[in-house]
Amino acid sequence: MNNLWNDTEAAQYEAAEGELGLRVYTSRLLGRDDSLVLHGGGNTSMKGSSTNIFGDEVPTLFIKGSGWDLKTIESPGLPATNLETLQRLATLQTMTDTEMARELKLALLDPASPSPSVEAILHAIIPLRFVDHTHADAVVTISNSPQGRQRLQQLYGDEVLILPYIMPGFILARQVYEATQGIDWSTLKGIVLEHHGIFSFADDARSSYDNMIAMVAQAEDYLISQGAADQLLRRDVEITAQDGLNLAAVRKQVCDLAGRAMLARLNSGPEAAGYASRPDVAAIATRGPVTPDHSLHTKRIPAVLADSPVSAVKQFGDDYRAYFDRHNNGSLTCLDPAPRVAVWLERGVLAFAPNAKRMAIVADIADHTRSCVQSAEALGGWEALPERDIFELEYWELEQVKLKKAAAPGAFEGRVALVSGAASGIGLACVEALVADGAAVIGLDINPAVAELSDTAVLGIQCDITDGEETAAALQQGLQHFGGLDILVSNAGIFPSSRPVAELDEDDLETSLQLNFQSHARLLKLATPYLALGINPAVVLMASKNVPAPGPGALAYSSAKAALTQLGRIAALELGEQGIRVNMLHPNAVYDTALWTEETLQARADSYGLSVEQYKTNNALGLEVRSCDVASAVLALAGSDFPATTGAQIPVDGGNERVI
């Protein structure tokens, strides 16, 4: 655990916003370390004052607001609240979570600010000016071991108050309030909440941060001294093509249980594969989460997949419903019973989520959980909270309210698309449009720039799709990253130089056939088994206006595109029984692509006696056809707008006279 404080950085933050700037700075320092704060977990605060409209000074708690992440927090993410109001709330004997949420909003000095953290009352009653709270892996790992409290007491002595687990929010604030009556706060550096996390505090930002780092470092050193690192197994595994099909089938079953499209990611790296290869992994992985907060993202336990992985997912669904029934008070709404994490024996760890952003969260939590579980084994065994406590957090009143207010997902959320020729032009427009509507996209292109597209929702892979082995490997890489395939946009292509038949260059013809036809046929062949396991599976082949209305000099190009169209027609007939729709687009005169340079455009316009602008809009609608217009057609065909359409050939050309 490294102390990241930097005097130069701190001075810049302080110069910009004073003490609040320092509060932002140390919050960000905590957020940089995933072993302290994962995806919005943890919170920080500062006590100061504000001036109201009457010119009165109001004692103020600046506390992390809902929706902000400590890693990137800015001062608006620390909304100002009435400190005295929050402190008074702690004196109440009872308060429901709904009442607490209302009172926290009422305590805001600016109603347009984000809602304060549910831990705001707890922060308020700690009399020190700066308070930091993290879910430090090392501290919670020790807590989740036999005699965890005794170990923590021996580690920290009287400088840290150790309290048993209790639900977050008002109940927790009240627990701390009662436990600290008459206490001398100057003797404390922190508070540990068992199975939850750790608080540090001081009257200046640096000291509170230093205290946090020092206490967590103590816990890490203790784990090392107990041989925790020796428990972290590593193993290299090879994921086969059959594993890829099984993964797609597992993802399909997860989608069925969830009642919506879901993504899946297989981590088969040495650490994850080593964990999945432990002989005791089925027992230790299913004892519960690191902290109950994680269950909001991962559910209480993972599924364990063995020889019949699809059946194991079904069994998880049955077990989850039974778990809900055991603890339901009759007023709760059951969440979907699909797993969010699975340990696939001998192979690795899977994460499931409805979109790429949330899948990254689940995957990160799964990684940290794996490490914590194995470290606790060095202390005598992983011991999580009883399932009743996990259930209460997973079905927290405030979380049930969020479910009812959740925004509708994007049209393609949870679906996986593969786009070839993705680095530019029509392919890039398709990637951007699909992602904007919620899809996760595997982008293939021979141009290495495709890798620059990679982010949470896009995996860009450099690939020559005329090479069968490269294409198969890229497909497997994409499947492991997103779990399956629902949409294929087969778009890659070239336009050879124009020549009359008598001057045909056979190399041009061969090159065109390889890229404009054969590579598409191969990609469709490789993708079909996965599309058959997809959600509303659809294929869109990028053909050309030259199919219905060829022009002279384009034999090499037009012949390949005609063959591609025939491929699509036959595929529509053959794949229909598997529910796979196959349609073709015939774009024309799409000039914002790499095929058209300014010089080429000018030459073509001159040959028709037109200006470049006239040439671009030389169609029935008098408009310029853009890559995004083609992408819009792709979304329509790949989505739910045309569920009964397959084998269609649709022009995207502004109304080409010869096609009409």
Side-chain angles (χ1 to χ4, degrees):
M1 180 57 56
N2 296 318
N3 190 311
L4 302 177
W5 178 278
N6 179 285
D7 287 335
T8 301
E9 289 181 349
Q12 292 171 347
Y13 278 87
E14 186 174 21
E17 296 184 282
E19 284 194 311
L20 186 59
L22 287 175
R23 173 69 287 175
V24 170
Y25 175 56
T26 54
S27 298
R28 287 186 166 205
L29 293 184
L30 296 173
R32 287 184 200 175
D33 194 328
D34 288 346
S35 67
L36 291 173
V37 175
L38 269 181
H39 299 288
N43 37 69
T44 58
S45 69
M46 182 191 84
K47 297 176 182 72
S49 65
S50 303
T51 304
N52 66 18
I53 197 169
F54 303 107
D56 301 328
E57 290 293 310
V58 179
T60 302
L61 179 74
F62 299 90
I63 175 82
K64 180 196 162 193
S66 176
W68 284 84
D69 193 312
L70 291 184
K71 185 182 295 186
T72 56
I73 198 167
E74 298 174 359
S75 55
L78 293 159
T81 56
N82 189 305
L83 176 61
E84 293 177 340
T85 296
L86 297 177
Q87 290 172 333
R88 190 175 180 187
L89 289 174
T91 66
L92 297 175
Q93 292 296 318
T94 61
M95 183 165 52
T96 68
D97 289 320
T98 299
E99 290 171 336
M100 178 192 69
R102 184 188 67 233
E103 294 301 323
L104 292 183
K105 287 184 179 180
L106 289 171
L108 285 169
L109 300 184
D110 179 356
S113 297
S115 298
S117 165
V118 294
E119 308 295 7
I121 301 173
L122 196 164
H123 281 252
I125 62 176
I126 295 175
L128 287 301
R129 294 190 60 230
F130 288 81
V131 179
D132 297 338
H133 172 47
T134 73
H135 300 161
D137 286 352
V139 174
V140 184
T141 295
I142 296 171
S143 175
N144 287 356
S145 68
Q147 292 82 50
R149 174 179 287 196
Q150 293 89 325
R151 293 176 190 271
L152 290 167
Q153 288 174 333
Q154 291 170 6
L155 188 63
Y156 295 125
D158 295 333
E159 291 185 325
V160 175
L161 178 65
I162 299 169
L163 297 174
Y165 173 81
I166 200 166
M167 277 282 290
F170 175 75
I171 299 174
L172 173 58
R174 184 69 191 176
Q175 178 198 41
V176 174
Y177 176 80
E178 293 175 348
T180 56
Q181 292 302 298
I183 199 169
D184 182 356
W185 284 92
S186 67
T187 65
L188 291 179
K189 287 185 177 179
I191 299 173
V192 169
L193 309 174
E194 290 185 279
H195 306 281
H196 181 153
I198 182 169
F199 282 80
S200 65
F201 30 79
D203 278 327
D204 64 274
R206 180 168 188 174
S207 296
S208 184
Y209 172 73
D210 287 346
N211 286 344
M212 176 64 71
I213 299 305
M215 289 188 293
V216 177
Q218 281 181 268
E220 290 181 336
D221 289 343
Y222 178 77
L223 289 175
I224 292 170
S225 73
Q226 299 299 305
D230 299 334
Q231 290 287 329
L232 304 180
L233 304 184
R234 296 172 60 90
R235 183 187 177 202
D236 293 323
V237 298
E238 179 183 355
I239 301 301
T240 66
Q242 183 58 51
D243 289 333
L245 280 171
N246 288 339
L247 171 58
V250 164
R251 181 228 173 197
K252 179 66 164 61
Q253 182 60 48
V254 168
C255 294
D256 290 346
L257 281 177
R260 61 182 298 175
M262 298 279 282
L263 305 177
R265 177 166 299 162
L266 172 61
N267 180 354
S268 60
E271 293 84 2
Y275 181 61
S277 299
R278 289 180 63 118
D280 60 350
V281 69
I284 64 175
T286 54
R287 290 177 188 163
V290 174
T291 176
D293 295 66
H294 289 177
S295 67
L296 298 175
H297 299 289
T298 65
K299 288 191 160 55
R300 185 178 71 89
I301 59 174
V304 178
L305 314 183
D307 294 335
S308 300
V310 173
S311 297
V313 173
K314 291 180 180 178
Q315 185 61 52
F316 180 94
D318 292 340
D319 294 343
Y320 185 86
R321 293 185 190 94
Y323 156 75
F324 175 79
D325 291 341
R326 282 196 297 275
H327 303 293
N328 181 20
N329 61 11
S331 66
L332 300 174
T333 300
C334 186
L335 302 172
D336 73 72
R340 294 300 186 268
V341 178
V343 177
W344 194 358
L345 300 186
E346 307 294 332
R347 291 168 181 82
V349 178
L350 284 159
F352 307 102
N355 56 55
K357 181 179 179 180
R358 290 183 62 185
M359 187 166 67
I361 294 173
V362 173
D364 281 349
I365 292 176
D367 287 347
H368 283 259
T369 300
R370 185 183 71 240
S371 177
C372 292
V373 167
Q374 292 180 99
S375 293
E377 285 299 291
L379 305 183
W382 176 254
E383 292 185 356
L385 283 166
E387 71 170 36
R388 176 71 200 185
D389 292 309
I390 309 299
F391 181 88
E392 287 180 353
L393 196 289
E394 187 180 357
Y395 283 85
W396 194 7
E397 180 181 340
L398 298 182
E399 293 301 321
Q400 290 279 296
V401 171
K402 286 181 184 179
L403 285 178
K404 297 174 182 177
K405 295 182 178 180
F412 289 86
E413 186 171 89
R415 296 181 69 197
V416 184
L418 186 151
V419 179
S420 65
S424 62
I426 291 172
L428 179 58
C430 290
V431 171
E432 292 172 344
L434 285 161
V435 169
D437 262 6
V441 180
I442 306 161
L444 307 184
D445 204 295
I446 197 170
N447 185 344
V450 71
E452 298 173 10
L453 300 179
S454 293
D455 62 12
T456 305
V458 181
L459 177 65
I461 305 173
Q462 183 181 4
C463 171
D464 179 358
I465 64 168
T466 66
D467 184 312
E469 291 185 1
E470 275 194 38
T471 305
L475 180 58
Q476 287 300 316
Q477 182 182 346
L479 289 165
Q480 189 166 331
H481 197 72
F482 290 127
L485 185 62
D486 309 306
I487 301 164
L488 172 61
V489 182
S490 201
N491 164 73
I494 57 169
F495 194 94
S497 58
S498 295
R499 297 173 184 270
V501 174
E503 299 174 14
L504 176 65
D505 185 318
E506 293 188 12
D507 288 340
D508 278 355
L509 177 60
E510 180 62 28
T511 299
S512 180
L513 286 170
Q514 284 185 359
L515 181 54
N516 292 330
F517 169 61
Q518 291 174 0
S519 67
H520 294 261
R522 180 187 300 111
L523 183 56
L524 180 57
K525 174 186 175 182
L526 291 170
T528 294
Y530 303 100
L531 289 167
L533 294 166
I535 306 302
N536 189 20
V539 176
V540 180
L541 302 178
M542 208 62 66
S544 169
K545 157 262 178 187
N546 278 27
V547 175
L555 170 64
Y557 179 76
S558 299
S559 298
K561 289 294 188 177
L564 176 61
T565 301
Q566 195 73 346
L567 165 69
R569 295 171 69 194
I570 294 169
L573 293 170
E574 294 181 354
L575 302 182
E577 63 183 18
Q578 298 178 66
I580 303 172
R581 295 174 291 121
V582 183
N583 292 291
M584 293 132 281
L585 291 179
H586 292 322
N588 182 53
V590 183
Y591 298 115
D592 60 340
T593 70
L595 295 176
W596 293 92
T597 64
E598 290 184 11
E599 294 78 10
T600 303
L601 269 171
Q602 188 64 60
R604 294 297 292 271
D606 290 345
S607 70
Y608 285 92
L610 301 172
S611 69
V612 170
E613 184 60 30
Q614 289 172 328
Y615 179 71
K616 286 183 175 181
T617 58
N618 188 24
N619 53 54
L621 295 175
L623 55 77
E624 180 181 345
V625 182
R626 300 164 299 166
S627 295
C628 62
D629 297 318
V630 183
S632 295
V634 168
L635 262 60
L637 290 174
S640 56
D641 291 337
F642 294 96
T645 299
T646 192
Q649 302 177 52
I650 300 176
V652 187
D653 56 15
N656 180 275
E657 181 178 342
R658 293 174 57 227
V659 171
I660 294 173

